[in-house]
Amino acid sequence: MYVTDQDRFINGACEVETELEPLGLLDELQAIENDMGRKKLIDKGPRNIDLDILLYGDEKVQNERLNVPHIGIPEREFVLRPLAELIPSKPLYASQPWKLVQDYLNDLTPGEPLSSITPLSSTLAPLTPLVPDRKTSVMGILNMTPDSFSDGGRNNLESLSNTVIELVRNGASIIDVGGQSTAPGRPEVSAEEEASRVVPAIELIRSIPETRHVAISVDTYRASVAEKAIASGADIINDVSAGALDADMLPTVGRLGKTICLMHMRGNPQTMTKLTSYPDGLVPTVAAELLSRVAAAEAAGIRRWRIILDPGIGFAKTGAQNLELLRSLEELRAWPGLQGLPWLVGTSRKSFIGKVTGVEEASQRVWGTAATVAAAIQGGADVIRVHDVREMSLVTTMSDAIWRARD
Ligand SMILES: Nc1ncnc2c1ncn2[C@@H]1O[C@H](COP(=O)(O)OP(=O)(O)OP(=O)(O)O)[C@@H](O)[C@H]1O
Ligand SMILES: Nc1nc2c(c(=O)[nH]1)N=C(CO)CN2
Ligand SMILES: [Mg+2]
């Protein structure tokens, strides 16, 4: 990981007993590194020894010299694997699915190539797209737009706080905060206005004990909004344009080291409804266009293990194309160059469901949405993005029981 142009090296974890305080222990470890003649010329590059403190009992340390738990743990399988061997009984993250990751890591044959682990936050178990019995994550939509079709504006912090607590109680492990609608033809708001809608929501979620551990995603295609959101505590940037609408987006997320969702779309929300021609086939074209966004993201410094893909249901697609994509998720997941990356699928209440079922009112499209969620999970989705969190969490649990069994 990080610097791949270097010799192979060995990683291990060990448990020690010490009377040293955390900073004293760091001093001791650094003295050993120095004694061994450590030279570090490239950040994360070759060095003859590296001694890090991963955990210190259950203590948390946060100062300019030391962060414990080590902030690199959630994205480093070379750390997770020896840790899982060492402390199989200790869940390292707040949420339950971590146990599954730990069991999975413990089952791996030593020496197997590293598999893929996508961190969502520093407290939530990462996505493990290659684990057959992984649980699908539910991303709950929190619209902070006054024009949203789902639930209107939310100015009142107390009711907002109840809303997010409810989302989490009902099964959301990720909250997707949006300050501007990307539905076809909705008005654009200024970046300042958009940031002023999402930042207070992020701060609020981080301040409520019950929701502090969820991952916060921000639905934006603007780099300046992403930067402010991350500064307020967001973990994931959900960019419906996959970085194409703002040249600063990919470098910003790369620099800040966060996870990004790259969604397939064409044009912008104003023009996309006309851009539905796929003469070389829908699935091959969506795959190829996503491959080029992945390449752009990596070139901008975003780590491959911090990328989530999304077929972009309802974006530059006809109703029939949305259905075809839902049917083809397995093929997309297996596409050469895209294997091992996690997928998010967002179908919730969208108009193709209205078209098929004849339900005009978006908020009444719950049953139709349920069928799409089941289909997405059958196709291998790792995250589903929904409005009706309670109902769709039940659909997810049931779909996982059917499709995410180990055999
Ligand atoms: N838990 C920790 N263990 C060790 N060093 C830490 C920890 N938290 C913060 N640091 C700081 O990180 C600095 C850089 O560490 P080092 O040069 O070993 O980087 P590295 O090992 O390449 O990176 P990483 O620690 O991310 O693997 C150290 O000087 C130390 O002050
Ligand atoms: N990642 C992702 N983000 C979205 C999606 C979607 O399908 N996927 N749909 C939206 C419009 O409802 C808004 N944002
Ligand atoms: Mg180190």
Side-chain angles (χ1 to χ4, degrees):
M1 294 172 90
Y2 311 102
V3 179
T4 49
D5 182 21
Q6 62 172 308
D7 289 341
R8 287 165 164 266
F9 51 86
I10 294 172
N11 263 290
C14 64
E15 190 171 15
V16 298
E17 221 170 277
T18 180
E19 281 168 7
L20 296 168
E21 292 295 307
L23 276 175
L25 180 60
L26 181 66
D27 287 337
E28 186 66 30
L29 294 176
Q30 291 184 341
I32 297 171
E33 290 179 341
N34 289 334
D35 285 352
M36 290 183 66
R38 170 172 172 160
K39 284 200 188 62
K40 186 176 159 186
L41 303 168
I42 309 164
D43 185 39
K44 307 263 187 288
R47 73 296 285 276
N48 63 345
I49 181 79
D50 177 35
L51 299 172
D52 292 337
I53 303 172
L54 300 176
L55 303 165
Y56 187 99
D58 288 322
E59 276 183 45
K60 286 199 173 71
V61 184
Q62 224 175 358
N63 62 53
E64 57 187 57
R65 282 193 64 209
L66 188 62
N67 271 298
V68 179
H70 193 291
I71 51 163
I73 295 176
E75 71 179 28
R76 300 181 183 176
E77 201 197 327
F78 63 76
V79 172
L80 284 166
R81 217 194 277 199
L83 259 185
E85 254 175 49
L86 190 65
I87 40 175
S89 59
K90 185 182 173 70
L92 294 172
Y93 294 96
S95 74
Q96 204 40 44
W98 163 245
K99 189 77 192 78
L100 214 70
V101 178
Q102 220 163 5
D103 291 346
Y104 164 68
L105 292 170
N106 276 323
D107 283 352
L108 287 175
T109 315
E112 246 173 56
L114 297 186
S115 62
S116 96
I117 281 185
T118 306
L120 294 174
S121 76
S122 57
T123 51
L124 205 67
L127 297 177
T128 52
L130 298 173
V131 178
D133 56 348
R134 69 193 184 281
K135 295 273 174 283
T136 309
S137 302
V138 175
M139 171 187 270
I141 299 169
L142 185 65
N143 274 317
M144 298 301 293
T145 57
D147 59 340
S148 158
F149 66 77
S150 70
D151 39 18
R154 296 196 163 103
N155 315 321
N156 177 333
L157 284 189
E158 193 184 309
S159 82
L160 179 60
S161 136
N162 290 332
T163 303
V164 295
I165 290 172
E166 181 111 329
L167 288 174
V168 173
R169 279 196 193 142
N170 285 337
S173 57
I174 310 169
I175 296 180
D176 191 40
V177 184
Q180 179 184 307
S181 175
T182 44
R186 295 291 160 123
E188 269 202 69
V189 300
S190 71
E192 290 68 31
E193 170 69 19
E194 189 186 349
S196 76
R197 291 176 183 176
V198 299
V199 165
I202 296 164
E203 288 170 345
L204 183 81
I205 297 168
R206 281 289 172 257
S207 74
I208 305 170
E210 276 175 273
T211 61
R212 195 170 285 150
H213 294 295
V214 303
I216 301 177
S217 148
V218 177
D219 190 346
T220 185
Y221 51 77
R222 289 184 172 122
S224 67
V225 176
E227 179 141 20
K228 285 180 196 157
I230 290 168
S232 331
D235 305 288
I236 303 166
I237 298 303
N238 172 23
D239 181 350
V240 297
S241 80
L245 287 178
D246 184 338
D248 291 334
M249 180 59 105
L250 299 178
T252 299
V253 178
R255 171 167 51 82
L256 299 173
K258 295 296 170 185
T259 297
I260 191 165
C261 178
L262 302 175
M263 196 192 79
H264 177 267
M265 90 157 172
R266 289 167 158 187
N268 60 47
Q270 274 70 45
T271 61
M272 65 184 182
T273 41
K274 295 203 177 69
L275 305 172
T276 58
S277 163
Y278 295 84
D280 296 327
L282 179 66
V283 171
T285 308
V286 168
E289 291 177 3
L290 277 176
L291 268 168
S292 84
R293 299 318 301 161
V294 171
E298 289 197 77
I302 298 178
R303 304 296 182 179
R304 193 175 177 79
W305 57 86
R306 286 197 169 270
I307 293 174
I308 300 171
L309 299 176
D310 184 329
I313 302 289
F315 289 81
K317 320 282 183 316
T318 63
Q321 288 166 344
N322 291 323
L323 298 171
E324 185 183 342
L325 277 179
L326 267 180
R327 227 177 276 128
S328 314
L329 208 58
E330 221 171 62
E331 192 185 345
L332 274 174
R333 287 177 71 81
W335 202 266
L338 299 179
Q339 296 119 324
L341 293 171
W343 287 76
L344 183 157
V345 177
T347 53
S348 191
R349 300 182 180 177
K350 284 185 179 169
S351 66
F352 77 108
I353 297 173
K355 234 185 264 170
V356 171
T357 58
V359 178
E360 266 173 48
E361 180 64 36
S363 65
Q364 301 303 307
R365 294 175 186 153
V366 189
W367 293 100
T369 299
T372 64
V373 166
I377 292 173
Q378 177 178 2
D382 300 276
V383 183
I384 52 139
R385 179 181 181 276
V386 294
H387 300 90
D388 306 290
V389 168
R390 204 181 96 80
E391 293 83 351
M392 294 313 124
S393 290
L394 293 171
V395 172
T396 297
T397 303
M398 198 63 217
S399 302
D400 281 351
I402 300 169
W403 299 106
R404 296 288 157 78
R406 205 159 252 257
D407 299 310

